[in-house]
Structures are given as C-alpha cells and as structure tokens.
Amino acid sequence: MTSPTGEIYRIDWLPGTDVLHGTCHCGAEHSAEDPIEMWEWMLGHPEGHTPRDPNVPNGPPDPHVPQGNGS
C-alpha cells in the first residue's frame, strides 16, 4: 500500500454549462469542456500551471449569481 501524498486535485462542474473548472494542488486553475483535456492538464503538472494570484477571488464567477451593481 502507498502512503498519501497530500496532493489534492479538484474538478468542479459549473451547473448549467458544459464547463469543468479544475484546481491543481499547486493552486493553478484551468477550465475546459473536455474531461480528458482537464485530466491531462491536471496530471501534466507543472507544465502549463501558474499558481493563482492570492489577491484574485477563487474560480470563475457563478453563472447563477448576477454580476455588476444592478444599475
């Protein structure tokens, strides 16, 4: 049996779309409609991975939440 690596990969489906949003254990994020593309990106770490800016909110905006100030 192998010991856990502590690496967490997360893929979320954005409801109402065909978009998958992935977060690598390094903090890099990527969106794609193709699950194979998403897993290739995840498992290709660190190629194509730029950790996200901690000053930017996590993930893309929720498509069900109105954006803007409503004016």
Side-chain angles (χ1 to χ4, degrees):
M1 184 153 118
T2 61
S3 62
T5 64
E7 296 175 351
I8 297 174
Y9 298 87
R10 180 180 178 135
I11 297 178
D12 295 308
W13 166 63
L14 301 178
T17 73
D18 291 334
V19 177
L20 299 171
H21 182 78
T23 306
C24 181
H25 64 87
C26 70
E29 297 182 17
H30 180 73
S31 294
E33 290 186 9
D34 181 7
I36 294 171
E37 176 188 341
M38 179 60 69
W39 278 111
E40 286 176 346
W41 176 83
M42 285 278 191
L43 298 175
H45 172 86
E47 186 177 317
H49 291 226
T50 304
R52 71 173 181 81
D53 182 342
N55 299 319
V56 176
N58 289 337
D62 185 335
H64 297 101
V65 176
Q67 301 297 311
N69 63 10
S71 57

